[in-house]
Amino acid sequence: MQNSAIRFYNMKVRFIKNDKIFEENVAIKNVWEKDGNTFFDIYFYRNRKSHIFDAMFIHDITDLSTEKYYKKLEDFLVDFRGEDIQPNHDKNSHIQTKNKLFENIKSELLIMAFFGNVCKYLSPIKEKIIFDYILHQEPRAKLLSNQYLQAYVSSLTPSEEDFYEAISNLDCRSTKRITELCHEILKIAQADGRLHYREKVFLAEMLQILREAGIKVNLCI
């Protein structure tokens, strides 16, 4: 059911507890039946934890992405299960939906991938730094498999032109977020135990471009 979870990551679910109703913003990761009961595996963004619920404790569901309201859980199950029986020609839509999760951090990822590949080798350590950054900035990415994340990061092979364009697209980011990004980039550059000449050059150019844009980042290079 993993593909279904990608679509249903922006949900508002109202639960029944002690005869009261409370709501949470969640991702619905999986749904299954056992012994005549229906169970939901739900990821809570508030505390970043998953819990299993019997359907009898779910009052209603709203898909915040499509604004579709499900008063009857049977209607939701039709849509959820329908995701897994789409014809093959719709598989690209799943990939596009997954990739939309990265839209808000695409510039940062291109810059990180550029530094990761400066020395022509994106090592597992460098990949992990990028993975951790993705999960920190976009918690919904927890719904994706490590294999997908690895494939996505490996597919990012930005050119120098892409690198400079991505830097220019950082204008809308806060100074704090850009500072965090620069520290992660420095981690990537030093992942093999040293800071190579090309890495120093591109890092210095990036910091200069940011300074000219009014963003000062202090790094010990």
Side-chain angles (χ1 to χ4, degrees):
M1 287 296 210
Q2 195 167 11
N3 285 342
S4 297
I6 301 305
R7 173 182 167 186
F8 299 102
Y9 66 82
N10 190 24
M11 313 298 291
K12 180 175 72 176
V13 176
R14 296 207 298 168
F15 299 89
I16 303 170
K17 183 178 181 181
N18 298 329
D19 295 324
K20 294 182 179 180
I21 295 177
F22 69 98
E23 64 182 39
E24 292 273 359
N25 289 337
V26 304
I28 298 178
K29 298 167 58 179
N30 202 352
V31 183
W32 69 93
E33 293 183 3
K34 183 178 181 182
D35 298 330
N37 297 318
T38 303
F39 296 92
F40 283 69
D41 185 359
I42 298 178
Y43 178 81
F44 289 75
Y45 292 119
R46 177 174 52 83
N47 59 13
R48 299 186 179 184
K49 292 183 179 180
S50 296
H51 299 280
I52 307 299
F53 287 87
D54 190 308
M56 65 182 295
F57 295 108
I58 297 177
H59 185 272
D60 58 65
I61 300 172
T62 301
D63 187 333
L64 297 176
S65 298
T66 63
E67 298 185 351
K68 187 169 184 178
Y69 175 70
Y70 299 95
K71 174 62 178 174
K72 296 181 179 179
L73 295 187
E74 293 84 354
D75 294 336
F76 172 78
L77 294 177
V78 169
D79 283 358
F80 188 89
R81 290 167 177 161
E83 290 291 292
D84 284 334
I85 57 175
Q86 294 187 46
N88 290 336
H89 64 265
D90 281 339
K91 285 184 178 179
N92 285 338
S93 66
H94 284 310
I95 296 173
Q96 292 169 359
T97 303
K98 290 176 181 179
N99 288 351
K100 285 182 179 179
L101 291 177
F102 305 122
E103 284 183 354
N104 291 332
I105 56 174
K106 185 64 178 289
S107 295
E108 289 104 305
L109 296 184
L110 286 173
I111 294 170
M112 296 177 83
F114 179 80
F115 274 96
N117 287 289
V118 163
C119 295
K120 310 299 182 183
Y121 176 55
L122 185 62
S123 68
I125 296 176
K126 295 177 182 180
E127 284 187 342
K128 186 177 187 309
I129 294 171
I130 299 176
F131 292 169
D132 289 345
Y133 186 84
I134 290 174
L135 297 177
H136 175 68
Q137 298 294 342
E138 183 47 82
R140 292 174 298 178
K142 289 181 181 291
L143 300 174
L144 302 173
S145 67
N146 286 336
Q147 291 87 343
Y148 182 85
L149 284 174
Q150 185 175 30
Y152 177 79
V153 171
S154 297
S155 73
L156 298 175
T157 54
S159 63
E160 287 188 29
E161 183 178 344
D162 296 326
F163 167 66
Y164 290 117
E165 182 179 354
I167 296 174
S168 68
N169 291 333
L170 293 177
D171 290 347
C172 61
R173 306 291 190 266
S174 68
T175 300
K176 179 181 177 182
R177 182 160 162 180
I178 292 177
T179 300
E180 291 176 354
L181 171 65
C182 290
H183 280 285
E184 296 306 304
I185 289 171
L186 186 58
K187 287 182 187 177
I188 291 173
Q190 295 179 325
D192 60 356
R194 56 175 294 203
L195 195 60
H196 295 273
Y197 175 75
R198 280 174 54 81
E199 292 169 331
K200 288 181 181 179
V201 169
F202 285 117
L203 190 53
E205 288 192 9
M206 178 177 176
L207 294 177
Q208 180 59 32
I209 292 171
L210 291 174
R211 277 194 292 269
E212 291 174 356
I215 302 170
K216 295 182 179 180
V217 178
N218 294 319
L219 288 180
C220 296
I221 303 176

